[in-house]
Amino acid sequence: MRIPIVWVYWVSSLTIVTLVSAYICRRFKDYGFAALVSFYAIYLGASQILAARIVVLDLGFYSLYAPAAVFIYPFVAQAIDMINEVYGRRRAHLAIGIAFVTQVLLVTFMAMVNRLPPAPFFQFEEAWQSIFNLGIRITGASWIAFLVCQNLDAYVFAWLKKRYEGNVLLRSVTSDVLDLTLDSLIFVSLAFYGAMPLLPLIVGQIVSKNIIGFLDTPWFIWYRRMIKSPIG
């Protein structure tokens, strides 16, 4: 059976980030938080851009429709869990604030560049504007969903960690399911109401995000084992 290339990219990138993150957190304690926030911001920026493209996810027996960011957003949820696990809830909320500022800057820079006149020999202006001219509605929906869901994720994860310290799987899966499900409801409803059919997109996002989010759980457990214990 041939494995779709998208999963090769997915597994490879998640493995690399997990290894690098765990190594930095163990070997260079003072820089681990900065490294994790960097990965977190990259994931978030990629998901914000990719959210504009709607793709088909063929499950064999059923096809789901969802923004392409469904492949990236579970990484976002896992990254905030990785920060929370090692550095605690206050640092997780700080990371959310830092990442949000990076996304404001990303949109600002794209808007700035899009206002510049294209060179007469640049043949891809229409395609560029179509892809990178993010609408205010999609951007606003993305920001609202991010702030609500990521802060909820951080709070729930920390609460479960305090009550069930030894159960890594419980806090990872529970916080991610709440985050990914609520994010799908908020983002799709705000971004596409009146423009696209909401129910197929919401169902597609919830199912696909949670499947992918569940699939990346072993990497989080692996990460937790590699770091062994929280840092100071």
Side-chain angles (χ1 to χ4, degrees):
M1 180 179 175
R2 185 178 178 182
I3 300 175
I5 190 65
V6 65
W7 291 110
V8 176
Y9 291 139
W10 190 86
V11 169
S12 299
S13 59
L14 188 57
T15 300
I16 291 170
V17 170
T18 302
L19 280 170
V20 172
S21 299
Y23 176 78
I24 294 175
C25 286
R26 290 295 303 167
R27 188 71 181 272
F28 308 102
K29 296 181 179 180
D30 295 338
Y31 305 106
F33 177 72
L36 289 173
V37 172
S38 298
F39 289 131
Y40 184 50
I42 288 292
Y43 289 155
L44 186 59
S47 67
Q48 182 161 287
I49 295 172
L50 297 177
R53 187 180 186 219
I54 307 301
V55 298
V56 179
L57 304 176
D58 187 3
L59 302 180
F61 59 91
Y62 187 74
S63 293
L64 297 172
Y65 301 96
V70 296
F71 281 96
I72 306 296
Y73 200 80
F75 286 28
V76 176
Q78 174 158 309
I80 200 62
D81 289 350
M82 292 167 76
I83 294 170
N84 208 337
E85 180 69 26
V86 179
Y87 296 99
R89 183 167 68 90
R90 291 184 64 184
R91 287 287 189 93
H93 289 305
L94 175 60
I96 293 167
I98 294 171
F100 178 70
V101 172
T102 68
Q103 301 320 294
V104 173
L105 291 173
L106 172 65
V107 172
T108 301
F109 292 152
M110 285 194 293
M112 176 183 69
V113 170
N114 286 343
R115 297 303 181 272
L116 295 173
F121 52 82
F122 184 66
Q123 303 176 15
F124 310 105
E125 180 63 17
E126 185 177 349
W128 172 275
Q129 292 291 341
S130 175
I131 295 172
F132 292 105
N133 190 15
L134 298 180
I136 294 177
R137 185 173 176 181
I138 290 179
T139 301
S142 175
W143 288 353
I144 292 171
F146 168 75
L147 289 173
V148 171
C149 299
Q150 287 291 280
N151 281 289
L152 176 64
D153 186 317
Y155 179 84
V156 171
F157 184 98
W159 184 81
L160 289 171
K161 182 181 178 182
K162 185 176 181 180
R163 287 185 64 95
Y164 309 99
E165 169 64 29
N167 199 329
V168 180
L169 181 64
L170 175 65
R171 58 180 173 268
S172 176
V173 172
T174 302
S175 63
D176 286 356
V177 167
L178 288 173
D179 178 358
L180 298 173
T181 301
L182 186 59
D183 178 83
S184 300
L185 290 168
I186 294 175
F187 174 73
V188 173
S189 298
L190 294 178
F192 300 115
Y193 178 77
M196 296 185 184
L198 292 186
L199 186 58
L201 284 177
I202 290 175
V203 172
Q205 274 223 105
I206 290 176
V207 173
S208 55
K209 275 186 178 180
N210 280 289
I211 289 175
I212 297 170
F214 180 77
L215 289 176
D216 71 18
T217 301
W219 277 267
F220 179 77
I221 295 174
W222 181 36
Y223 163 81
R224 181 63 181 84
R225 288 177 178 173
M226 283 191 287
I227 61 174
K228 292 183 179 179
S229 60
I231 296 174

